[in-house]
Structure formats: C-alpha cells, structure tokens
Amino acid sequence: MATLDVLPDGDRMTVTVWGELDLGSRRLLPDLYDVLALSGSGVDLRLDSVGFCDCSGVNVLLDLRVRALDQGKTVVIRSAGRAVGRLLDLTGTRELFTDAARTDGGTPRTDAARTDAAHPDGEALRADAPHADAEHTDSDTDRDHLLAEVAQLRRAMQTRPTIDLARGILMASFSLSPEAAWSVLVRTSQNTNTKLHQLARELVGTVHGSTLPEQVQRQLAAAVAGAGARGGAALCHTAGAAEDEG
C-alpha cells in the first residue's frame, strides 16, 4: 500500500510517495487534495521510492493535476524511479508534470483571475474591458484542452490489461522478468511499426490458435533472444502448438 510523507517547502508542499501506485492508490486522493489545498502554489512529488506503477496510479496523478489547475496551481514530479518514469514516457504524460506545464506557459492563473467576471459590487464588466473576457476565454480553452487530453490518455490506458496479459505470456513462455518482457514488447512494436496494444492483442490471440504475421514472429523471436531468454526462436511455433492442443 502506498503511503505519503509531506514536507512544507515555502509556498509549495513536497510529497514523497512510498510503495505501489496501483488501483488501491486512489485512497490517497483525499489526502493529496488536502495537501494541495494547504499549498500556496502547488505540490512537488518525489516518486523515487515507488516500486510499481500502473495506469490506475497515473490516473491518480492526472486527477491531482486537474484539481491543481482548478486552483491555479501546479503538480511537478521532481524525481521518479524506473517504474513511474517508464509509464510516464509510454503514456506521454511526463511533460504534464514539469515546471513548464502551466495554464498559460507562465505564472499559473488563480481562480479569481480565471472566473471573476464581475466587479466587487456585482455589476457586470463594462464593454470597454475586453481583456478580461479574453483572459476568461483563454482559460476555458486551456481547461477544455486539458480535459480532452486526460480523456484521450485514459482511453489509451484501457488497453493496458491486454498488454499486461501479453507480457505475462512472454514471462511464462520464456522465463523473462517483468522488465525484460516489457522490453521485448516495446522493441518488437518499434521494429514492426505496430502499435503496442495491437501487438499485445495478436500475441494473446496465439493462445487461442491464431498465427502471428511472419515479420512479427521474426522480430519478436529476435527480441526474446536479445533479452537473454531461453529458446527465443521457439516463439515462431507457439501458435502451431496451441492449435495442436486445441
């Protein structure tokens, strides 16, 4: 189970996370939201001690970032271990958690700057103050873009179970470590110009008797052999063996 260590640092809060960021890590969100609310400008995350991270963990980070933008603050990942770093790179979310990832490329806007559409006495803004309307519109556009980006990332993450299953097949078939199996999938995806989730579906399909394309067989066998597994070339016969057993 993941745990938090919180340390105030000026107008920001430094949060060190220990353990695993998986489906159970959503229980951390209320605490993270509280820490964010107590900060002046946002939260800095130290994720070096996270030994495992899956898509649920990344979704927790994305939810925290959306809440931060609502408050005109930022969430910055200051450091991350291999487990987190690899998934951030895979999903293209690393750049969302940098100092440059702000609502307008500079100083984050506050809620007041984004939503204040009236004078203190409650009267509507005058027609001769177009800059205020423009700022409000720009902020709305930024938020809409962010929400669309998060939705797109989450749709992409729905393919993760199939990818994990394909990785398990490689681990069981060729005595690969989780890291080596992941490396085999990524390398084969790159060398065959095949999307990772599509490659995973094809590999899972071999269990039910389907056959991998010849080019994919060659590249996958080479990647398995390169990972130091036993019998990399045997993968070419996996589909046939499965069909015979059926």
Side-chain angles (χ1 to χ4, degrees):
M1 301 292 288
T3 57
L4 304 177
D5 184 16
V6 181
L7 180 66
D9 184 12
D11 66 344
R12 299 185 68 79
M13 292 286 194
T14 297
V15 176
T16 302
V17 182
W18 308 80
E20 299 183 348
L21 286 176
D22 52 17
L23 184 60
S25 61
R26 295 202 66 80
R27 68 178 181 82
L28 298 176
L29 273 175
D31 292 337
L32 289 170
Y33 289 160
D34 288 343
V35 171
L36 177 66
L38 292 172
S39 71
S41 64
V43 172
D44 294 326
L45 296 174
R46 301 284 183 184
L47 306 178
D48 308 81
S49 299
V50 175
F52 174 82
C53 181
D54 63 11
C55 298
S56 298
V58 174
N59 280 336
V60 168
L61 301 180
L62 291 171
D63 286 342
L64 180 61
R65 182 175 187 267
V66 170
R67 177 66 66 93
L69 289 180
D70 282 343
Q71 300 177 16
K73 301 176 182 179
T74 58
V75 176
V76 177
I77 296 178
R78 295 298 179 186
S79 58
R82 290 179 58 189
V84 177
R86 185 172 298 175
L87 195 52
L88 292 175
D89 290 336
L90 173 68
T91 58
T93 53
R94 184 185 291 272
E95 64 269 19
L96 299 179
F97 297 96
T98 64
D99 286 313
R102 297 172 182 266
T103 58
D104 60 356
T107 303
R109 298 188 181 101
T110 64
D111 281 345
R114 291 163 47 210
T115 61
D116 186 9
H119 289 293
D121 59 4
E123 295 179 1
L125 287 173
R126 300 189 309 272
D128 59 355
H131 59 282
D133 289 334
E135 181 178 359
H136 178 72
T137 300
D138 290 344
S139 179
D140 287 345
T141 300
D142 290 336
R143 176 171 172 75
D144 289 344
H145 178 74
L146 172 65
L147 292 177
E149 188 175 53
V150 170
Q152 182 179 5
L153 287 170
R154 285 179 173 170
R155 284 195 299 270
M157 289 176 187
Q158 290 174 357
T159 63
R160 184 70 189 195
T162 303
I163 293 173
D164 287 340
L165 182 57
R167 185 170 63 169
I169 291 172
L170 291 175
M171 291 167 59
S173 299
F174 305 105
S175 300
L176 292 170
S177 68
E179 294 77 11
W182 176 251
S183 177
V184 167
L185 283 174
V186 172
R187 182 176 301 177
T188 305
S189 172
Q190 293 173 340
N191 291 344
T192 60
N193 195 28
T194 305
K195 291 184 178 179
L196 192 62
H197 66 86
Q198 178 181 342
L199 173 64
R201 278 202 310 270
E202 292 177 351
L203 183 58
V204 171
T206 64
V207 176
H208 303 290
S210 64
T211 304
L212 292 173
E214 183 177 352
Q215 179 192 14
V216 175
Q217 290 185 22
R218 289 198 304 268
Q219 293 297 334
L220 191 55
V224 169
R230 59 175 176 81
L235 184 62
C236 297
H237 306 291
T238 299
E243 188 171 3
D244 291 341
E245 292 176 1

